[in-house]
Amino acid sequence: MTSSAAIKQIKSLGSLRGQLLRWLLAPLLLVVALDAFSVYRNALDVADLAYDRALLASTRALAERVSIVNGKVVADVPYVALDSFETDTLGRIYYKVTGTQGEFISGYEDLPALPPNVPRSELYPALVHFYHATYQNQAVRIAALYQPVYDDSMRGIALIQVGETMDARSNLTRQILFSTLWRQGLLVMVAALVVWFAVRLVLRPLMQLKAEVEARSPTDLADFDADRVHKEVRPLVTAMNGYMGHLQALITWQRRFIADASHQLRTPLTVLKTQAELALRQLERNPNDARGWQDMREIVESIAGTTESTAHLANRLLTLARAEHGAKANDIEPVSLTNITRQVGMEHAPAAVKKQIDLSFDAPEEVMIKGHALLLHELISNLVDNAIHYTLMNGRVILRVRSDAVLQRAILEVEDSGIGIPKEDRERVFSAFYRSPLAQQQNLGGAGLGLSIVHDIAVSHGGDIALSDADEGTAAFPGLKITIVFPLL
């Protein structure tokens, strides 16, 4: 993931407080909505139950006025009775009486008939059916009661239907629903306030940590107190502290590197300036003297040598900086330690031939490790360069590469027959710019960076480095064997 994509993803996360509020309140609102729907359905059932009971009472009162007179079913329904029904139910009443033979007796003849699939109500000990219908463009609830009628001459069952408009039921349902919603809305508001204050209280340690980070100066890399935040956030604070520790070490190293580099470069640059001024004075003093031109030539050659040494020192410093920072993750790949060592040996063969040094390479097999090819090349090149420099004429330098399958390690050895390194100096030679007195006598132009570079590259590749006398060294020339062990691929 690129840095811009990562930043975009971080921005898309938004506020932690906002996310917590959304994740807490959104489910609560969903539950309230589902509960409101359930309350509405229950309110309808309650309204139907209450008003159906009243509707059934009206139907029974009407049924009591149905009788048989002279062999015919008649209904004696005074207006006062219907008026009382309307007043009690707060809605309009419609009724219809049907005789034992299905003939219309009284009421509203076009009142919707009882559908055939409507079940009998099990709530009341009566042959009553309740159903919804539309009458005169109004929704009505109708109770259909089968009433037995008889006298000495006949008997049968009459059908009494009483319907009422839904206004009263709707009003009751709305009252129940609105009352419930009002209370639930108030509950949601209270819950939202409680959640907001709770989230604010819970996030206070993070806000304090944020304020502490913002208040710090750029040079203050002290650790943050992980115990001041919640245990879920402590790994993040610990990681921040670890990162700042690495950053502090990097800054310290950079300061030391700049100071050492400035110190090391100051001397050759001063020499260059002095030599250039001497050449100018020599030219001004003897502009036409052949001897003056010869002296100036020597000075210019000295300048060239000093410039070459300075460039070599600058390259070593850059290599040291690169080795200190290590390789990037995407540069690490499987590499052949055998091939890199062979290539370095071939590159230094002319220098070995010039000093009549026997440079040999011993690698019975190809050894693979995981690393950075350029840095490993620099490591081996520094070892071979040092070995040739500190080995006298007609000496020998041996490069060995082998593996240990049991211990899963790759072994690189560079052995020479040179002056070696005294045991008391073997730990210090890995420090930048340090040179043992014996090395200074042998090579005045050294910078003291070769083994420091080797050490840093080896460590960055998970390797261990050891110094010892050569296997066939003498008292005068003990030689040096450098052994580096890498993890085997």
Side-chain angles (χ1 to χ4, degrees):
M1 180 181 294
T2 63
S3 58
S4 59
I7 293 175
K8 184 176 180 181
Q9 181 178 2
I10 292 173
K11 289 182 177 179
S12 66
L13 293 177
S15 166
L16 178 59
R17 182 185 291 111
Q19 286 197 24
L20 287 174
L21 289 174
R22 286 194 293 271
W23 279 103
L24 290 173
L25 294 180
L28 180 60
L29 290 174
L30 179 61
V31 170
V32 169
L34 294 176
D35 185 62
F37 177 76
S38 176
V39 167
Y40 178 72
R41 298 295 302 179
N42 290 336
L44 289 177
D45 293 339
V46 169
D48 282 343
L49 181 63
Y51 281 93
D52 281 353
R53 187 183 299 274
L55 186 59
L56 177 59
S58 301
T59 307
R60 282 176 170 172
L62 183 60
E64 292 175 356
R65 296 180 177 274
V66 177
S67 61
I68 297 177
V69 178
N70 298 325
K72 293 182 180 180
V73 178
V74 295
D76 182 15
V77 184
Y79 177 78
V80 176
L82 294 180
D83 185 60
S84 65
F85 293 160
E86 293 186 8
T87 303
D88 290 342
T89 59
L90 298 179
R92 183 164 178 78
I93 290 292
Y94 305 97
Y95 79 97
K96 178 181 178 181
V97 179
T98 303
T100 58
Q101 302 300 321
E103 71 277 13
F104 173 72
I105 302 300
S106 178
Y108 296 83
E109 187 175 1
D110 56 347
L111 193 66
L114 173 65
N117 58 346
V118 175
R120 183 178 70 86
S121 175
E122 300 293 338
L123 299 176
Y124 311 101
L127 295 174
V128 64
H129 301 259
F130 295 96
Y131 60 98
H132 291 280
T134 302
Y135 184 63
Q136 296 183 0
N137 297 324
Q138 289 182 302
V140 293
R141 175 76 166 172
I142 301 175
L145 176 66
Y146 287 99
Q147 176 68 20
V149 292
Y150 55 89
D151 65 358
D152 295 338
S153 61
M154 63 174 293
R155 66 179 55 239
I157 296 178
L159 176 62
I160 295 90
Q161 295 170 269
V162 177
E164 66 174 354
T165 57
M166 302 292 293
D167 298 337
R169 296 170 185 258
S170 299
N171 289 335
L172 179 60
T173 302
R174 283 194 296 269
Q175 288 178 6
I176 297 175
L177 178 61
F178 291 156
S179 176
T180 303
L181 288 179
W182 181 85
R183 288 193 298 270
Q184 290 183 341
L186 181 62
L187 178 63
V188 169
M189 292 179 61
V190 173
L193 289 176
V194 171
V195 169
W196 188 85
F197 280 109
V199 170
R200 184 179 180 88
L201 181 64
V202 170
L203 294 181
R204 181 176 297 175
L206 285 180
M207 296 299 102
Q208 292 175 347
L209 178 62
K210 169 181 171 292
E212 185 178 350
V213 172
E214 292 177 344
R216 281 200 176 187
S217 64
T219 57
D220 186 3
L221 297 177
D223 288 348
F224 293 101
D225 186 3
D227 294 333
R228 294 175 55 187
V229 297
H230 312 89
K231 67 177 182 179
E232 291 82 2
V233 188
R234 287 174 191 169
L236 174 61
V237 178
T238 303
M240 290 172 54
N241 291 337
Y243 174 77
M244 288 191 296
H246 293 310
L247 190 61
Q248 180 66 55
L250 176 61
I251 293 175
T252 302
W253 181 89
Q254 287 180 338
R255 290 175 178 172
R256 186 182 72 248
F257 177 80
I258 292 173
D260 292 343
S262 300
H263 174 74
Q264 292 297 322
L265 289 173
R266 187 179 295 112
T267 299
L269 292 177
T270 302
V271 172
L272 279 175
K273 180 180 178 182
T274 302
Q275 290 173 337
E277 292 175 349
L278 181 61
L280 290 175
R281 285 198 301 269
Q282 185 68 25
L283 182 61
E284 291 174 355
R285 186 182 301 116
N286 302 301
N288 299 317
D289 187 6
R291 178 63 183 173
W293 282 100
Q294 179 63 29
D295 292 341
M296 190 175 68
R297 177 183 179 85
E298 294 176 357
I299 294 173
V300 171
E301 289 177 350
S302 178
I303 291 175
T306 305
T307 302
E308 183 179 359
S309 298
T310 305
H312 180 71
L313 174 61
N315 289 331
R316 287 294 180 92
L317 288 172
L318 292 174
T319 302
L320 178 62
R322 187 177 185 184
E324 179 71 21
H325 293 299
K328 295 181 181 179
N330 54 3
D331 292 333
I332 301 298
E333 58 184 358
V335 294
S336 173
L337 185 63
T338 304
N339 291 340
I340 296 176
T341 306
R342 182 186 295 110
Q343 181 181 354
V344 172
M346 294 176 62
E347 292 173 356
H348 287 78
V353 171
K354 187 175 181 180
K355 293 185 66 174
Q356 298 180 8
I357 292 176
D358 180 13
L359 178 61
S360 61
F361 175 67
D362 181 14
E365 59 182 334
E366 184 177 18
V367 179
M368 300 293 295
I369 65 173
K370 200 171 186 178
H372 188 281
L374 292 179
L375 288 181
L376 290 172
H377 183 280
E378 186 68 26
L379 178 148
I380 302 172
S381 180
N382 274 279
L383 292 178
V384 177
D385 184 67
N386 281 349
I388 293 175
H389 264 90
Y390 295 105
T391 299
L392 300 181
M393 298 285 290
N394 301 316
R396 70 179 186 281
V397 175
I398 305 174
L399 309 182
R400 300 188 186 94
V401 178
R402 55 190 173 89
S403 64
D404 188 336
V406 176
L407 298 179
Q408 287 294 299
R409 60 183 186 174
I411 302 172
L412 168 68
E413 292 180 349
V414 177
E415 182 178 356
D416 63 60
S417 59
I419 60 175
I421 298 178
K423 294 182 179 180
E424 61 271 15
D425 288 333
R426 288 178 182 175
E427 291 295 330
R428 302 181 61 188
V429 293
F430 295 119
S431 301
F433 307 112
Y434 175 79
R435 304 184 68 212
S436 67
L438 191 60
Q440 294 181 30
Q441 295 176 7
Q442 181 73 17
N443 181 15
L444 296 177
L449 291 175
L451 288 180
S452 176
I453 293 173
V454 168
H455 177 268
D456 290 342
I457 296 177
V459 170
S460 69
H461 285 74
D464 294 322
I465 184 170
L467 306 182
S468 61
D469 293 337
D471 294 338
E472 300 179 2
T474 63
F477 297 99
L480 180 67
K481 181 168 72 171
I482 299 180
T483 304
I484 304 178
V485 179
F486 296 101
L488 194 63
L489 181 65

XYZ file of all heavy atoms in Angstrom, residues 247-303:
471
model
N 14.509 5.923 16.537
C 14.760 7.250 15.969
C 15.855 7.972 16.741
O 16.709 8.645 16.148
C 13.460 8.061 15.987
C 13.460 9.380 15.220
C 13.739 9.142 13.750
C 12.114 10.092 15.382
N 15.825 7.822 18.068
C 16.864 8.455 18.886
C 18.230 7.865 18.559
O 19.224 8.598 18.454
C 16.539 8.263 20.374
C 17.549 8.874 21.328
C 17.571 10.387 21.232
O 16.550 11.049 21.377
N 18.739 10.943 20.964
N 18.270 6.534 18.400
C 19.541 5.899 18.050
C 20.027 6.364 16.677
O 21.230 6.599 16.480
C 19.377 4.378 18.065
N 19.083 6.520 15.735
C 19.455 6.990 14.407
C 19.991 8.407 14.452
O 21.018 8.726 13.833
C 18.239 6.917 13.474
C 18.435 7.457 12.056
C 19.513 6.672 11.337
C 17.127 7.411 11.282
N 19.311 9.272 15.213
C 19.773 10.665 15.316
C 21.146 10.723 15.971
O 22.035 11.473 15.540
C 18.739 11.492 16.111
C 17.434 11.609 15.309
C 19.282 12.876 16.436
C 16.325 12.313 16.060
N 21.333 9.913 17.032
C 22.636 9.884 17.701
C 23.720 9.427 16.741
O 24.823 10.009 16.688
C 22.573 8.952 18.920
O 21.551 9.410 19.813
C 23.896 8.917 19.659
N 23.395 8.365 15.973
C 24.392 7.895 15.006
C 24.679 8.939 13.944
O 25.834 9.135 13.560
C 23.879 6.613 14.354
C 24.862 6.059 13.356
C 25.873 5.192 13.591
C 24.943 6.391 11.962
N 26.586 4.941 12.453
C 26.042 5.664 11.430
C 24.216 7.221 11.115
C 26.406 5.745 10.103
C 24.575 7.298 9.778
C 25.659 6.570 9.282
N 23.650 9.623 13.468
C 23.865 10.649 12.448
C 24.741 11.774 12.973
O 25.625 12.271 12.265
C 22.511 11.190 11.969
C 21.742 10.234 11.081
C 20.409 10.806 10.639
O 19.875 11.710 11.276
N 19.851 10.267 9.576
N 24.494 12.181 14.214
C 25.329 13.242 14.792
C 26.783 12.786 14.901
O 27.707 13.543 14.586
C 24.781 13.621 16.164
C 23.442 14.359 16.118
C 22.898 14.583 17.513
N 21.641 15.332 17.484
C 20.869 15.537 18.548
N 21.223 15.051 19.741
N 19.745 16.221 18.437
N 26.971 11.547 15.364
C 28.336 11.032 15.485
C 28.976 10.892 14.109
O 30.159 11.221 13.925
C 28.302 9.686 16.198
C 29.700 9.149 16.497
C 29.671 7.786 17.170
N 29.283 6.753 16.228
C 28.154 6.082 16.288
N 27.276 6.337 17.247
N 27.867 5.151 15.393
N 28.177 10.429 13.145
C 28.707 10.250 11.792
C 29.122 11.594 11.190
O 30.197 11.716 10.593
C 27.644 9.592 10.918
C 28.056 9.437 9.482
C 28.872 8.398 9.087
C 27.630 10.347 8.519
C 29.259 8.255 7.763
C 28.014 10.217 7.203
C 28.832 9.162 6.813
N 28.266 12.605 11.362
C 28.592 13.929 10.818
C 29.845 14.484 11.472
O 30.722 15.056 10.811
C 27.395 14.884 11.009
C 26.226 14.434 10.125
C 27.785 16.314 10.668
C 24.954 15.212 10.369
N 29.929 14.305 12.815
C 31.114 14.817 13.511
C 32.375 14.096 13.051
O 33.413 14.728 12.767
C 30.923 14.661 15.020
N 32.297 12.736 12.952
C 33.472 11.980 12.522
C 33.836 12.291 11.076
O 35.022 12.439 10.736
C 33.201 10.472 12.684
C 33.090 10.070 14.141
O 33.532 10.852 15.008
O 32.535 8.989 14.418
N 32.814 12.374 10.216
C 33.093 12.672 8.807
C 33.711 14.051 8.650
O 34.656 14.243 7.869
C 31.802 12.569 7.991
N 33.197 15.014 9.389
C 33.767 16.372 9.316
C 35.220 16.365 9.766
O 36.086 17.021 9.153
C 32.944 17.319 10.195
O 31.607 17.366 9.759
N 35.473 15.604 10.843
C 36.846 15.547 11.342
C 37.773 14.872 10.331
O 38.902 15.332 10.100
C 36.859 14.788 12.673
C 38.239 14.548 13.206
N 38.991 15.560 13.775
C 39.008 13.417 13.240
C 40.159 15.076 14.154
N 40.198 13.778 13.838
N 37.302 13.795 9.718
C 38.155 13.061 8.785
C 38.370 13.812 7.470
O 39.434 13.716 6.869
C 37.525 11.693 8.505
C 37.519 10.749 9.695
C 38.917 10.393 10.147
O 39.823 10.212 9.324
N 39.110 10.306 11.458
N 37.347 14.548 7.038
C 37.474 15.269 5.765
C 38.228 16.584 5.921
O 38.761 17.115 4.934
C 36.089 15.539 5.184
C 35.341 14.323 4.634
C 33.924 14.700 4.235
C 36.079 13.736 3.434
N 38.262 17.104 7.160
C 38.904 18.415 7.353
C 40.397 18.347 7.023
O 40.952 19.255 6.385
C 38.703 18.870 8.796
C 39.192 20.295 9.042
C 38.960 20.708 10.479
N 37.546 20.774 10.795
C 36.924 19.949 11.620
N 37.621 18.997 12.221
N 35.640 20.062 11.855
N 41.058 17.248 7.418
C 42.510 17.145 7.199
C 42.875 17.074 5.717
O 43.702 17.875 5.239
C 43.066 15.920 7.950
O 42.815 16.089 9.347
C 44.558 15.778 7.714
N 42.291 16.173 4.914
C 42.681 16.152 3.480
C 42.279 17.415 2.746
O 43.000 17.848 1.830
C 41.947 14.930 2.933
C 40.863 14.650 3.903
C 41.388 15.060 5.233
N 41.182 18.026 3.116
C 40.807 19.271 2.449
C 41.790 20.393 2.781
O 42.115 21.227 1.918
C 39.376 19.664 2.855
C 38.265 18.750 2.334
C 36.914 19.204 2.873
C 38.248 18.749 0.810
N 42.258 20.417 4.026
C 43.269 21.421 4.409
C 44.565 21.188 3.648
O 45.216 22.145 3.183
C 43.516 21.351 5.924
O 42.280 21.565 6.622
C 44.524 22.397 6.358
N 44.926 19.910 3.509
C 46.139 19.582 2.748
C 45.989 20.007 1.298
O 46.923 20.564 0.684
C 46.432 18.074 2.853
C 47.560 17.682 1.907
C 46.796 17.714 4.286
N 44.799 19.748 0.730
C 44.565 20.162 -0.664
C 44.717 21.664 -0.825
O 45.335 22.154 -1.786
C 43.159 19.722 -1.103
C 42.983 18.267 -1.532
C 41.521 17.984 -1.805
C 43.823 17.980 -2.771
N 44.146 22.413 0.117
C 44.229 23.871 0.037
C 45.682 24.332 0.150
O 46.138 25.208 -0.611
C 43.394 24.483 1.154
C 43.413 26.005 1.151
C 42.556 26.561 2.289
C 42.615 28.101 2.296
N 41.822 28.672 3.413
N 46.407 23.728 1.077
C 47.821 24.116 1.267
C 48.639 23.794 0.019
O 49.465 24.616 -0.434
C 48.390 23.382 2.483
O 47.603 23.709 3.637
C 49.835 23.792 2.735
N 48.400 22.618 -0.560
C 49.157 22.230 -1.757
C 48.829 23.134 -2.936
O 49.710 23.507 -3.724
C 48.844 20.775 -2.103
C 49.433 19.790 -1.100
C 48.969 18.378 -1.346
O 47.925 18.163 -1.956
N 49.747 17.397 -0.871
N 47.552 23.501 -3.083
C 47.180 24.390 -4.181
C 47.829 25.760 -4.007
O 48.339 26.351 -4.979
C 45.663 24.517 -4.236
N 47.841 26.289 -2.787
C 48.477 27.592 -2.546
C 49.978 27.515 -2.785
O 50.578 28.457 -3.334
C 48.191 28.043 -1.115
C 46.719 28.392 -0.872
C 46.464 28.719 0.586
O 47.372 28.467 1.409
O 45.349 29.194 0.895
N 50.598 26.408 -2.386
C 52.031 26.229 -2.621
C 52.337 26.191 -4.106
O 53.334 26.777 -4.579
C 52.492 24.937 -1.945
C 53.984 24.618 -2.075
C 54.836 25.734 -1.435
C 54.306 23.284 -1.419
N 51.456 25.511 -4.895
C 51.664 25.466 -6.350
C 51.561 26.853 -6.958
O 52.344 27.223 -7.845
C 50.644 24.527 -6.975
N 50.615 27.655 -6.511
C 50.477 29.012 -7.040
C 51.693 29.869 -6.705
O 52.201 30.621 -7.542
C 49.190 29.649 -6.488
C 47.873 29.065 -7.015
C 46.683 29.704 -6.300
C 47.755 29.302 -8.524
N 52.167 29.760 -5.460
C 53.348 30.551 -5.084
C 54.580 30.118 -5.866
O 55.392 30.955 -6.288
C 53.597 30.399 -3.587
C 52.618 31.182 -2.722
C 53.156 31.358 -1.311
N 53.409 30.089 -0.647
C 52.517 29.452 0.096
N 51.295 29.984 0.265
N 52.810 28.296 0.659
N 54.683 28.792 -6.082
C 55.833 28.295 -6.846
C 55.791 28.803 -8.275
O 56.816 29.172 -8.851
C 55.821 26.766 -6.823
C 57.030 26.115 -7.485
C 58.313 26.355 -6.687
O 58.267 26.571 -5.485
N 59.462 26.376 -7.370
N 54.578 28.853 -8.841
C 54.446 29.342 -10.209
C 54.746 30.824 -10.290
O 55.389 31.297 -11.239
C 53.026 29.052 -10.713
C 52.735 29.457 -12.157
C 53.653 28.703 -13.121
C 51.280 29.183 -12.507
N 54.316 31.605 -9.293
C 54.569 33.050 -9.295
C 56.045 33.345 -9.072
O 56.590 34.296 -9.617
C 53.736 33.716 -8.194
C 52.235 33.695 -8.467
C 51.448 34.224 -7.286
O 52.088 34.510 -6.243
O 50.211 34.321 -7.393
N 56.692 32.501 -8.265
C 58.095 32.756 -7.952
C 58.997 32.444 -9.135
O 59.940 33.167 -9.434
C 58.499 31.903 -6.735
C 59.908 32.224 -6.242
C 60.292 31.330 -5.057
N 59.348 31.523 -3.946
C 58.560 30.573 -3.501
N 58.577 29.356 -4.073
N 57.713 30.789 -2.497
N 58.743 31.372 -9.818
C 59.575 30.966 -10.953
C 58.699 30.661 -12.156
O 58.493 29.498 -12.509
C 60.406 29.737 -10.592
C 61.308 29.973 -9.385
O 62.147 30.859 -9.422
N 61.125 29.169 -8.332
N 58.150 31.691 -12.791
C 57.222 31.435 -13.899
C 57.881 30.797 -15.109
O 57.236 30.077 -15.865
C 56.679 32.831 -14.223
C 57.724 33.770 -13.742
C 58.360 33.146 -12.554
N 59.200 31.048 -15.307
C 59.859 30.529 -16.515
C 60.970 29.537 -16.191
O 61.698 29.129 -17.082
C 60.452 31.689 -17.325
C 59.360 32.661 -17.773
O 58.292 32.236 -18.205
N 59.642 33.961 -17.669
N 61.066 29.160 -14.923
C 62.126 28.260 -14.505
C 61.659 26.803 -14.649
O 60.611 26.435 -14.140
C 62.516 28.554 -13.059
C 63.741 27.757 -12.633
O 64.345 27.084 -13.477
O 64.067 27.808 -11.415
N 62.487 26.022 -15.357
C 62.125 24.616 -15.563
C 62.064 23.871 -14.238
O 61.229 22.979 -14.027
C 63.148 23.943 -16.495
N 62.994 24.247 -13.322
C 62.973 23.602 -12.015
C 61.680 23.916 -11.278
O 61.089 23.058 -10.602
C 64.174 24.102 -11.183
C 64.226 23.529 -9.771
C 64.391 22.043 -9.797
N 64.372 21.509 -8.429
C 64.356 20.223 -8.127
N 64.303 19.327 -9.128
N 64.369 19.808 -6.875
N 61.175 25.176 -11.460
C 59.907 25.549 -10.824
C 58.748 24.743 -11.378
O 57.856 24.324 -10.637
N 58.789 24.516 -12.701
C 57.727 23.703 -13.294
C 57.788 22.261 -12.802
O 56.750 21.625 -12.564
C 57.838 23.720 -14.819
C 57.305 24.980 -15.424
C 58.008 26.055 -15.864
C 55.936 25.279 -15.621
N 57.192 27.037 -16.332
C 55.873 26.581 -16.200
C 54.740 24.604 -15.386
C 54.689 27.207 -16.532
C 53.570 25.220 -15.714
C 53.527 26.513 -16.280
N 58.998 21.748 -12.567
C 59.140 20.390 -12.057
C 58.607 20.291 -10.627
O 57.904 19.328 -10.263
C 60.623 19.964 -12.095
C 60.886 18.563 -11.564
C 60.209 17.494 -12.391
O 60.000 17.660 -13.592
N 59.858 16.369 -11.732
N 58.920 21.320 -9.825
C 58.395 21.314 -8.442
C 56.874 21.399 -8.434
O 56.200 20.740 -7.619
C 58.990 22.498 -7.660
C 60.487 22.328 -7.421
O 60.963 21.183 -7.530
O 61.154 23.340 -7.141
N 56.349 22.262 -9.339
C 54.896 22.391 -9.383
C 54.253 21.088 -9.854
O 53.173 20.707 -9.389
C 54.490 23.529 -10.303
C 52.992 23.866 -10.206
S 52.542 25.303 -11.177
C 52.785 24.662 -12.816
N 54.933 20.376 -10.729
C 54.399 19.085 -11.184
C 54.294 18.111 -10.017
O 53.296 17.388 -9.870
C 55.300 18.510 -12.281
C 54.865 17.124 -12.772
C 55.837 16.597 -13.807
N 55.425 15.281 -14.233
C 54.531 15.013 -15.185
N 53.952 16.027 -15.809
N 54.224 13.776 -15.494
N 55.315 18.103 -9.193
C 55.281 17.221 -8.018
C 54.151 17.599 -7.081
O 53.480 16.737 -6.497
C 56.627 17.282 -7.298
C 57.781 16.711 -8.119
C 59.108 16.866 -7.413
O 59.107 17.471 -6.296
O 60.120 16.386 -7.935
N 53.935 18.926 -6.942
C 52.854 19.380 -6.063
C 51.496 18.965 -6.630
O 50.601 18.494 -5.904
C 52.918 20.904 -5.862
C 54.195 21.277 -5.104
C 51.687 21.411 -5.106
C 54.428 22.782 -5.008
N 51.341 19.139 -7.947
C 50.077 18.765 -8.576
C 49.850 17.264 -8.449
O 48.720 16.796 -8.202
C 50.060 19.195 -10.055
C 48.839 18.624 -10.767
C 50.064 20.712 -10.162
N 50.911 16.455 -8.589
C 50.769 15.017 -8.410
C 50.360 14.697 -6.976
O 49.547 13.792 -6.713
C 52.077 14.321 -8.759
C 52.393 14.329 -10.256
C 53.746 13.684 -10.556
O 54.497 13.423 -9.590
O 54.033 13.460 -11.746
N 50.927 15.462 -6.052
C 50.535 15.279 -4.647
C 49.072 15.648 -4.437
O 48.342 14.974 -3.693
C 51.426 16.118 -3.738
O 51.032 15.988 -2.395
N 48.653 16.741 -5.117
C 47.238 17.124 -5.033
C 46.357 16.015 -5.582
O 45.302 15.669 -5.013
C 46.996 18.444 -5.792
C 47.669 19.608 -5.058
C 45.494 18.724 -5.950
C 47.582 20.919 -5.799
